[in-house]
Amino acid sequence: MTDRHDRPDAEPPRRLTAHVEAARLEPGLYLVATPIGAARDITLRALDVLNSADQLAAEDTRVLRHLMDIHGIPLRGRRILAYHDHNGDRARPALLAALAEGGSVAYCSDAGTPLVADPGYRLALDAVSAGARVHALPG
């Protein structure tokens, strides 16, 4: 097997240019899959949503803040609302109110996709019951 470095005509690796979009999101709850392990495993669409959402919520605000810092996503005056098993009943009404007002809410679990065992499951059920759209983003 020939290694690409053995070929004199092989182009060397180069930095790829990418950018995060800041388009206005449709109203609704966005379940954002977050990387398990390597921060670079996040999708560009997930970064776009984190950049554009009106409201940010996370199972662990420190984990989401660190992920946003790594990828250069500014808060721009937004807070990250903690939403986890211990405060879900208290925090959920504020998120549902943001959805009812036509806002976009991005929710991130600690790692992976918010599923049945995550606190985001109840949030998604209540959002659907309230008539909000729920968008699942790939990881």
Side-chain angles (χ1 to χ4, degrees), residues 65-105:
R65 184 70 190 121
H66 182 66
L67 184 66
M68 291 174 66
D69 284 343
I70 288 170
H71 294 289
I73 306 231
L75 281 175
R76 290 187 323 280
R78 300 174 296 172
R79 288 183 44 243
I80 301 174
L81 179 70
Y83 182 85
H84 47 72
D85 287 329
H86 305 290
N87 77 343
D89 289 338
R90 292 185 313 275
R92 195 165 35 262
L95 296 172
L96 294 173
L99 293 171
E101 293 169 4
S104 56
V105 175

Side-chain angles (χ1 to χ4, degrees), residues 128-139:
V128 168
S129 293
R133 291 197 58 190
V134 175
H135 310 266
L137 278 65

Side-chain angles (χ1 to χ4, degrees), residues 7-81:
R7 297 186 318 246
D9 62 334
E11 191 176 319
R14 58 189 157 93
R15 181 175 287 276
L16 298 175
T17 305
H19 68 280
V20 175
E21 294 286 330
R24 178 90 174 121
L25 294 176
E26 286 183 43
L29 175 64
Y30 291 79
L31 301 176
V32 181
T34 55
I36 299 174
R40 292 182 58 86
D41 286 344
I42 195 163
T43 65
L44 292 175
R45 183 164 177 229
L47 294 175
D48 289 345
V49 167
L50 292 176
N51 190 39
S52 301
D54 298 318
Q55 173 74 49
L56 302 168
E59 188 173 359
D60 187 330
T61 60
R62 297 165 300 181
V63 171
L64 179 55
R65 184 70 190 121
H66 182 66
L67 184 66
M68 291 174 66
D69 284 343
I70 288 170
H71 294 289
I73 306 231
L75 281 175
R76 290 187 323 280
R78 300 174 296 172
R79 288 183 44 243
I80 301 174
L81 179 70

